[in-house]
Amino acid sequence: ELKENTVIVVLGASGDLAKKKTYRNQFLPKDIRIVGYARTKMDHDEYIRRIKSYIKTPTKDTEQQLEEFLGICTYVSGQYDRDESFQQLNKHLEELESGRKEANRLFYMALPPVGIARVIVEKPFGKDLASSRELQKSLEPDWKEEELFRIDHYLGKEMVKNILILRFGNSFLGATWNRHHIDNVQITFKEPFGTEGRGGYFDEFGIIRDVMQNHLLQVLTLLAMERPVSFSSEDIRDEKVRVLRAIPAIEPKDVIIGQYGRSLDGSKPAYKEDDTVPKDSRCPTFCALVAFIKNERWDGVPFIMKAGKALNEQKTEIRVQFKDVTSGIFKDIPRNELVMRIQPNESVYIKMNSKLPGLTMQTVVTELDLTYRRRFSDLKIPEAYESLILDCLKGDHSNFVRDDELDASWRIFTPLLHYLDDNKEIIPMEYPYGSRGPAVLDDFTSSYGYKFSDAAGYQWPTTSAL
Ligand code: BG6
């Protein structure tokens, strides 16, 4: 509906669009006023002179009609980024509107592209492949891919950002980073608290959608991708997409799910005791699953992802377990492991066998240890969101999720998610709040080749030892 008593404000009135597309016609509603606004400084007469020269006047037009049209045009010059300028524009509009019974305004933004528009989108990016594509479609008319920043805050974590440097900046790691030397990889996410009031959201999504399809898969992707041609965002993301496409959909036989019950001492409630959770919920709060990568580097190497709420500790880490040492001179010597501790207490350490100092040839498990608090004690590690929002301001997409990457990641998880949603007889295994997860967990991980060794009671010296 075309409103009477409207002031049309043309922002960018001195620009090209105004120059080429300024029309005058008699269809304009009554009492219309047209206010041009732009940065160019010019007075009223100069503005009118310009409009006159731009106007596409049908030959029959009389001089008088043209004069009438010019009589409704005014101009205000100002900046696009200053409050004072817009206050001045507003004052001008109010003067024009005074005495009118209603004041309608229409803003036409014909602005030069000095203003950059960017939008950060948070997860959930849909619930499966189809809904993610739908969401993407709804953004497409308004936002170009280069204006979109799909955030996965794990990509802003210091240790996650270190993965590519560690892998590609150290030739000894690069040389062993394949199925000939690595037996299995574990990516573990543990939280010591339950859904606590957030059950409404969580029950719709579950742990797989909440942290695995996004955060843990991102970590896996960085661990498994090939060397990018450069560190530019598109080169990195091209390689990420390529490795994701080599991962077949996760099969239900490679998955266990759990849901927390009450803590053993009864002090912590079960998941289903949360008021925001349906009493018959089958929502997994724990999951361990295995992804395989069908390419030359990784064929046959299980990537075990584990994630759970209400567990015994807070910890997110990557554990790369190398193959056994060739048998012969050693018996039962533990495997090497490279551990990247994402949080808390960022660190990278390698478990390695060494001679116990002294007169014997006894071996002992030791560690090459890079603990950030010790090594980088005076550096501040930025919060993930701090780092990512700054990247967005700089227009750097390296640590944001590209459209085709999102698609590829949902393709890996969607069949499993539908299988779990649709099969009502699949009930998650209960584990006590505060435990390590479902009792079958250790058997599950060892069935994929992970060898736990408590040789010499090895324990990595944690923060308390610092
Ligand atoms: C969020 C999940 O994306 O990540 C939460 O929705 C989870 O369930 C959180 O707790 C974990 O993030 P962080 O940075 O605390 O490890």
Side-chain angles (χ1 to χ4, degrees), residues 160-172:
V160 177
K161 287 165 78 176
N162 195 12
I163 295 174
L164 294 188
I165 310 278
L166 287 175
R167 284 188 55 199
F168 298 115
N170 293 292
S171 50
F172 80 99

Side-chain angles (χ1 to χ4, degrees), residues 81-96:
D81 54 2
R82 288 220 199 109
D83 284 351
E84 309 90 80
S85 297
F86 285 107
Q87 276 154 11
Q88 214 187 323
L89 171 65
N90 191 47
K91 214 174 117 223
H92 179 71
L93 298 179
E94 276 169 2
E95 282 165 14
L96 294 178

Side-chain angles (χ1 to χ4, degrees), residues 123 153-154 157 189 191 193 198 201-202 210-211 215 309 314 316 343:
K123 76 173 225 289
H153 79 286
Y154 266 59
K157 292 191 187 267
F189 168 101
E191 278 181 342
F193 43 82
R198 198 167 160 253
Y201 152 79
F202 194 86
D210 188 44
V211 299
H215 307 329
K309 301 248 167 206
Q314 163 104 51
T316 305
Q343 65 190 33

Side-chain angles (χ1 to χ4, degrees), residues 17-275:
L17 187 70
K19 195 185 284 180
K20 292 192 175 138
K21 300 288 180 194
T22 301
Y23 295 97
R24 176 200 63 75
N25 70 43
Q26 48 279 65
F27 303 127
L28 288 172
K30 261 200 349 234
D31 291 318
I32 202 92
R33 298 296 306 247
I34 300 174
V35 179
Y37 181 90
R39 285 175 303 182
T40 309
K41 286 206 168 69
M42 56 184 146
D43 62 14
H44 182 76
D45 290 347
E46 166 66 8
Y47 181 62
I48 294 298
R49 199 188 55 70
R50 280 201 193 193
I51 297 187
K52 243 182 181 164
S53 72
Y54 299 153
I55 239 161
K56 297 168 180 57
T57 314
T59 46
K60 296 197 293 300
D61 269 10
T62 64
E63 196 60 30
Q64 197 213 335
Q65 277 175 333
L66 182 58
E67 284 310 318
E68 272 171 24
F69 176 74
L70 294 173
I72 64 170
C73 294
T74 49
Y75 180 77
V76 177
S77 94
Q79 301 299 313
Y80 294 121
D81 54 2
R82 288 220 199 109
D83 284 351
E84 309 90 80
S85 297
F86 285 107
Q87 276 154 11
Q88 214 187 323
L89 171 65
N90 191 47
K91 214 174 117 223
H92 179 71
L93 298 179
E94 276 169 2
E95 282 165 14
L96 294 178
E97 288 158 351
S98 74
R100 293 186 173 199
K101 60 181 186 315
E102 55 173 335
N104 304 306
R105 292 177 182 180
L106 172 73
F107 290 88
Y108 192 108
M109 306 224 188
L111 298 177
V114 283
I116 295 171
R118 291 184 181 137
V119 54
I120 298 182
V121 191
E122 250 299 347
K123 76 173 225 289
F125 309 124
K127 289 189 72 181
D128 57 10
L129 184 58
S131 53
S132 154
R133 283 184 176 163
E134 219 169 275
L135 181 71
Q136 175 54 22
K137 270 231 161 62
S138 71
L139 291 169
E140 255 160 32
D142 301 318
W143 300 99
K144 294 204 255 340
E145 183 61 21
E146 70 253 34
E147 296 171 321
L148 277 173
F149 289 76
R150 290 180 204 84
I151 208 163
D152 182 314
H153 79 286
Y154 266 59
L155 290 175
K157 292 191 187 267
E158 185 63 35
M159 188 56 73
V160 177
K161 287 165 78 176
N162 195 12
I163 295 174
L164 294 188
I165 310 278
L166 287 175
R167 284 188 55 199
F168 298 115
N170 293 292
S171 50
F172 80 99
L173 277 183
T176 52
W177 210 255
N178 56 53
R179 67 192 164 98
H180 304 296
H181 299 281
I182 291 176
D183 190 89
N184 61 80
V185 178
Q186 284 189 65
I187 303 165
T188 307
F189 168 101
K190 297 170 86 173
E191 278 181 342
F193 43 82
T195 50
E196 267 108 276
R198 198 167 160 253
Y201 152 79
F202 194 86
D203 203 73
E204 277 262 308
F205 287 84
I207 194 78
I208 303 176
R209 291 180 174 98
D210 188 44
V211 299
M212 299 177 96
Q213 174 269 338
N214 37 58
H215 307 329
L216 298 198
L217 187 63
Q218 281 293 347
V219 171
L220 184 153
T221 308
L222 292 167
L223 288 171
M225 66 187 259
E226 296 299 315
R227 174 187 285 261
V229 176
S230 79
F231 269 135
S232 81
S233 56
E234 297 324 304
D235 283 342
I236 292 176
R237 300 196 297 176
D238 284 350
E239 289 306 333
K240 289 174 82 176
V241 173
R242 204 193 307 267
V243 75
L244 285 171
R245 290 178 54 207
I247 305 178
I250 287 156
E251 295 191 40
K253 69 172 173 53
D254 296 320
V255 180
I256 55 172
I257 54 171
Q259 188 187 78
Y260 64 87
R262 254 187 217 190
S263 61
L264 291 176
D265 65 4
S267 67
K268 296 284 190 179
Y271 174 70
K272 286 199 275 263
E273 287 178 83
D274 186 327
D275 288 341

